[in-house]
Amino acid sequence: MLRSRSPLLSRLQPARISGIFFFRYISFSKKSLMAAPPILSLALPSETGRVLSIQSHTVQGYVGNKSAVFPLQLLGYDVDPINSVQFSNHTGKLLILHSNSLRTLKPEICQLEYLAGYPTFKGQVLNGQQLGDLIAGLEENNLLYYTHLLTGYIGSVSFLNAVLEVVHKLRSVNPKLTYVCDPVMGDDGKLYVPTELVAIYREKVVPVASMLTPNQFEAELLTGFRTYCRIVTEKDGREACNILHASGPSKVVITSINMEGNLLLIGSHQKEKGHSPDQFKIVMPKIPAYFTGTGDLMTALLLGWSNVMLLNSIKYPDNLDKAAELAVSSLQALLQRTLADYVKVGFAPQSSSLEIRLVQSQDDIRHPEVKYKAERYT
C-alpha cells in the first residue's frame, strides 16, 4: 500500500539538469494550503497588554528598545519592537550646540559634541517609508491589534510624521489604544534632534498622546517655558503638566527636574477632562554620573506599572503615583548596582557614559522594593 505523501513533498517535483537531480517547488491554489496557525498573543492575549515599541536599538548595550522591551516582558507584556535605528553600540551623548535661539538654529552653524564613550559606531537608520512598509506587512496579515504604542528617540521629521500615521492606523483597529510618548529631544538645555521636530511634537504628537514622559528641558520646549522662562520651582512643574493636559494627554510625568541638588519627578493624572488633575512628586538622589538608556527604561516602567499593576495580585490601573513609585524604585536600584559594578572593576564612573546592568537587575524590575514614595499635592 502506498503511503500518502506529505503536503510539502506533494509540491516537490523531481527534475534533472546535466545529470543532477533536484526538486522544484510546484505551487497550489490557496484552497489547498493548510490554515496558518493562530497568533497566540492575539488569540490568548496577555492580561497586561500587547505593545508596539518604536525606538532605537544597539547591538551592544542598552538604549531604546534594548532598555524597554525586556522590562516590559518581565512585567508580563507581549512586545513587538520596531528599531528606528540599528547601531553597533550607543553613540555617546550627542548634543547639538549653538549660540542662537532654537528658532534660528541652522545646520551649517551647528556644532556636535559627544560625551566620552565609544570612539565610533556603525549601523543603519530606518526611514519613514520603511516604517510604513513594516506596518503595511502587519496590516496585510491582520496583526495590527495593539493595546499600547510606545515611542522614544526619533531623529527626523519624515519618521515622526510616519509615526503619527501609525498612531492613526492603530487607533482605527483599536480605538482604546494607549499611546505612551517619550518626546526625546534633548537634555541639560541642549537639543540633540533637528529643531523642526519641536513644533511637530508640540502641535501634532502631544494632542494624540495618552501619556507623555518629558524631562525638564523637553517639558520646557513643549509648553513654552523655554521661550519665556524656565521650570525652576515645583509650581512651574505642575503648571507645565497642566498646559500639557490641555493639549491632550491625561497622564504627564516630568521624569527629572534639577532642583536644590536633587532630582524631582512630578507626575500628573487628569482622570476627566475639565477636572483638576491628581499631582504628586518623588524626590530622587542626584547621582554624579551619566547612564545610557535610563530615560527609555523609565518610560517603559511607567507604562508597565501604570496599566495593570500586579502588586499582590491587586490591580491599580488609575494610580499613576503608585506606578511612579515602583518605576523610580526599580530604576534607582539598577543605577546603584551599575555604579557598584563599575567601581568593582576599577573604573571611575564620572569619566564616561555608563552601560546599565539591566539583566542583572531583573528582580528589581519584577519585585521592586519601594524606597521612593510619592508625595501628593493638595
Side-chain angles (χ1 to χ4, degrees):
M1 179 181 292
L2 292 174
R3 295 182 179 180
S4 61
R5 302 172 72 184
S6 73
L8 175 61
L9 289 178
S10 67
R11 299 176 203 171
L12 297 177
Q13 201 174 75
R16 181 174 180 173
I17 296 179
S18 301
I20 299 175
F21 281 96
F22 68 99
F23 285 94
R24 62 187 177 190
Y25 188 81
I26 306 298
S27 63
F28 285 76
S29 68
K30 290 184 178 180
K31 292 183 179 179
S32 68
L33 295 176
M34 295 178 65
I39 305 301
L40 290 180
S41 62
L42 293 174
L44 299 172
S46 164
E47 290 185 3
T48 46
R50 175 175 160 85
V51 182
L52 179 64
S53 180
I54 304 176
Q55 301 195 61
S56 58
H57 170 86
T58 57
V59 178
Q60 157 62 30
Y62 295 96
V63 298
N65 273 328
K66 283 285 289 289
S67 282
V69 173
F70 180 60
L72 285 169
Q73 290 171 331
L74 287 177
L75 294 176
Y77 291 80
D78 286 311
V79 188
D80 292 346
I82 292 179
N83 299 326
S84 57
V85 302
Q86 179 166 270
F87 292 155
S88 55
N89 46 272
H90 75 77
T91 61
K93 191 177 182 183
L94 174 61
L95 304 177
I96 298 178
L97 302 181
H98 55 91
S99 57
N100 297 323
S101 72
L102 296 178
R103 298 180 185 277
T104 59
L105 177 62
K106 297 179 180 179
E108 60 269 23
I109 62 171
C110 290
Q111 293 179 304
L112 300 183
E113 178 183 276
Y114 290 88
L115 190 70
Y118 297 103
T120 186
F121 66 94
K122 302 289 184 181
Q124 302 82 36
V125 177
L126 198 71
N127 62 39
Q129 177 61 51
Q130 291 165 330
L131 173 61
D133 290 343
L134 292 172
I135 297 300
L138 292 171
E139 184 177 27
E140 290 168 7
N141 289 285
N142 297 316
L143 299 175
L144 269 189
Y145 182 87
Y146 291 95
T147 59
H148 295 76
L149 171 65
L150 171 62
T151 62
Y153 174 77
I154 293 169
S156 72
V157 170
S158 64
F159 198 89
L160 186 54
N161 283 326
V163 167
L164 286 165
E165 294 176 11
V166 172
V167 176
H168 176 74
K169 193 172 287 289
L170 294 184
R171 282 195 169 139
S172 71
V173 177
N174 176 18
K176 295 182 179 180
L177 175 89
T178 297
Y179 174 26
V180 178
C181 173
D182 182 5
V184 180
M185 293 182 287
D187 201 1
D188 297 326
K190 300 179 178 66
L191 200 67
Y192 45 74
V193 297
T195 331
E196 295 82 3
L197 265 67
V198 177
I200 298 175
Y201 270 113
R202 185 190 301 124
E203 297 166 10
K204 297 182 179 181
V205 178
V206 172
V208 298
S210 310
M211 179 192 291
L212 203 66
T213 62
N215 60 30
Q216 179 178 359
F217 176 61
E218 291 157 352
E220 291 170 345
L221 291 174
L222 293 174
T223 58
F225 270 86
R226 196 72 196 168
T227 304
Y228 304 107
C229 58
R230 302 288 187 270
I231 296 175
V232 295
T233 67
E234 294 179 37
K235 182 180 178 182
D236 293 338
R238 296 175 66 188
E239 179 58 27
C241 290
N242 291 335
I243 294 171
L244 292 170
H245 284 314
S247 297
S250 62
K251 296 178 181 178
V252 178
V253 179
I254 304 178
T255 55
S256 57
I257 300 175
N258 284 289
M259 198 173 295
E260 298 178 354
N262 286 313
L263 285 179
L264 195 69
L265 176 148
I266 292 182
S268 186
H269 187 186
Q270 188 179 46
K271 297 180 181 180
E272 292 185 48
K273 278 293 182 186
H275 288 66
S276 297
D278 296 335
Q279 296 186 321
F280 61 90
K281 68 176 179 180
I282 299 177
V283 179
M284 304 168 287
K286 189 172 183 180
I287 301 172
Y290 174 74
F291 303 87
T292 60
T294 54
D296 309 315
L297 173 58
M298 184 64 181
T299 297
L301 292 171
L302 285 167
L303 184 162
W305 286 113
S306 65
N307 179 36
V308 176
M309 298 205 214
L310 304 178
L311 185 63
N312 297 324
S313 299
I314 301 174
K315 297 180 180 180
Y316 299 104
D318 290 327
N319 289 20
L320 183 59
D321 55 340
K322 297 283 188 185
E325 288 178 351
L326 292 159
V328 168
S329 296
S330 288
L331 180 59
Q332 289 297 318
L334 176 146
L335 296 181
Q336 292 301 330
R337 176 174 287 102
T338 300
L339 276 178
D341 284 353
Y342 273 104
V343 171
K344 190 182 298 182
V345 297
F347 186 82
Q350 295 85 359
S351 63
S352 182
S353 52
L354 308 180
E355 302 276 17
I356 58 175
R357 299 288 275 171
L358 188 65
V359 173
Q360 294 77 9
S361 303
Q362 58 187 285
D363 288 341
D364 294 311
I365 294 170
R366 280 200 197 97
H367 309 292
E369 180 184 354
V370 177
K371 294 183 176 180
Y372 298 89
K373 302 290 289 185
E375 300 176 46
R376 289 201 177 205
Y377 293 109
T378 56

